[in-house]
Amino acid sequence: MSSQSTQLEYARIAAGLPSRAAKPRRRVPKAKQRDSAVEESRQATPALPELEPTPAVSPDAKRVRMDALDLARGFAIALMILSHSVKGLLTFEAFPTWGLVPIHLITKFSSSLFILVFGISLAMAYLPHVGTDRWDEKRRKLLIRGITVLFWYKVLTVVEMFHLYSREDILNALMYKSFPIYVEILGFYGLALLWVPFALQLWKIAPLPVRVLVPVALVSLLSWLNNNTQIFPSPQLQALLIEHDSYYTWGQLSRAPLIFVGLLLGQAIQTLRLRNLSSSQFMFYISGALFAGFCFLAWPDFSQALKAIALNKGKHPPDLPFMSFSLGGAFLLLGLAISGGNLLAQRLSLFTRLGRDSMSAFIFHVGVIFVFYRYLFDYFQKVPYGKALILGIALIVLTSFWIRVKNWATR
């Protein structure tokens, strides 16, 4: 810098003017200073997980619980196959005493367990998506599933009836003028899948006290309808909704409380983050209370009450002693499946496979019983109980093996 420039610079400084050599400092607003400090703090501090309004379930925990549900559903399917195989070949008169109690008696856990697991699965796999972008897809999946199940229900109605019934009887069953026996649970399941998606939307927005009261309200409504059956225009409609003494059906209203109880259980397991052990203990407590209730109702003729349940007394329409016993066993098996978790599901993969592909299991075992055992092998009422029992156990294994082969072939 020249001497003249230096003198001019000194003169500017003496006059209080800013120096040209030094750049003026820009004043940073206080808000920007705070933002900058916050940003520096964020970069220096590890990111924390965001808090959610409901506890998140880890994928591993969810997988364990779904495997446990598959195992529980597999127990229900296996008991159903055993019951259908023996009863599909023999009348109750051909059963020995030990065949009724305990063997055929424990198969009464099947239907209640299947419906409970249905409700729990809805709570875990579908209810969280209600009101989200994925709900339309999930709802459509349930509706399509319902139509598919109803299609197979009608196909298997023909399979069940073609051997021993006339064409007129089969057509009546297809037109809901009468009903089959062994595949009727499929009819209940298919119809339920058509109204459940819309019920889930209301369930999602309902407060907890209302949800708890829903099963109680349905039981009360069912009791009133059973005392006022004249309001139904036909016995077939009554059979579809609340069941009828003349038809072997699963009423939508009479079994709906079990679906909603399953929804409550599923939400409790997820929302409260109950561990598998805690969940299983809860199931065991409920099971014990239900069995205690059954013993109270059956007293003093306990053995006769057990035999009556083995003979399906109180199953259609459902009465309190039968449902106490059936639900007691259902909660017991559900508790065992949950307590065992993924390890037990792997060890008992034969049953888990049945539960994971229950539709295929149902189609296969009905086909074998009524096409092969009854028609082609001509075993209907021509085999002793022991052989019928062995055929039933063999069919459980064969059904699981067939599903494994099918899955391998379509992989």
Side-chain angles (χ1 to χ4, degrees), residues 359-389:
M359 189 68 214
S360 295
F362 202 96
I363 294 171
F364 183 81
H365 94 270
V366 168
V368 171
I369 291 172
F370 294 99
V371 176
F372 286 88
Y373 286 0
R374 268 196 179 188
Y375 181 67
L376 294 177
F377 298 164
D378 195 24
Y379 284 161
F380 183 59
Q381 297 185 6
K382 295 181 180 179
V383 294
Y385 177 83
K387 184 173 182 178
L389 182 62

Side-chain angles (χ1 to χ4, degrees), residues 61 78 155 223 377-378 393:
V155 171
S223 177
F377 298 164
D378 195 24
I393 296 172

Side-chain angles (χ1 to χ4, degrees), residues 30-41:
K30 292 184 178 180
K32 281 194 173 183
Q33 293 178 6
R34 287 194 300 266
D35 293 343
S36 177
V38 170
E39 183 62 28
E40 290 177 2
S41 175

Side-chain angles (χ1 to χ4, degrees), residues 57 65 69 116-117 119-125 127-128 203 259-274 282-283 334:
V57 180
R65 287 168 184 163
L69 291 183
L116 276 179
V117 172
I120 297 174
S121 300
L122 288 173
M124 299 185 71
L127 188 62
W203 184 268
I259 298 177
F260 291 109
V261 169
L263 277 169
L264 289 170
L265 291 173
Q267 287 184 274
I269 293 172
Q270 282 191 307
T271 306
L272 302 178
R273 280 186 170 184
L274 295 175
F282 181 58
M283 303 301 173
L334 185 58

Side-chain angles (χ1 to χ4, degrees), residues 153-185:
Y153 162 58
K154 293 304 180 183
V155 171
L156 295 177
T157 295
V158 178
V159 173
E160 176 187 331
M161 299 180 69
F162 85 97
H163 180 213
L164 300 177
Y165 295 84
S166 66
R167 282 182 294 180
E168 182 180 1
D169 291 333
I170 296 175
L171 288 173
N172 285 338
L174 293 177
M175 298 298 293
Y176 285 103
K177 294 180 180 179
S178 64
F179 300 92
I181 296 176
Y182 297 92
V183 303
E184 187 54 37
I185 184 66

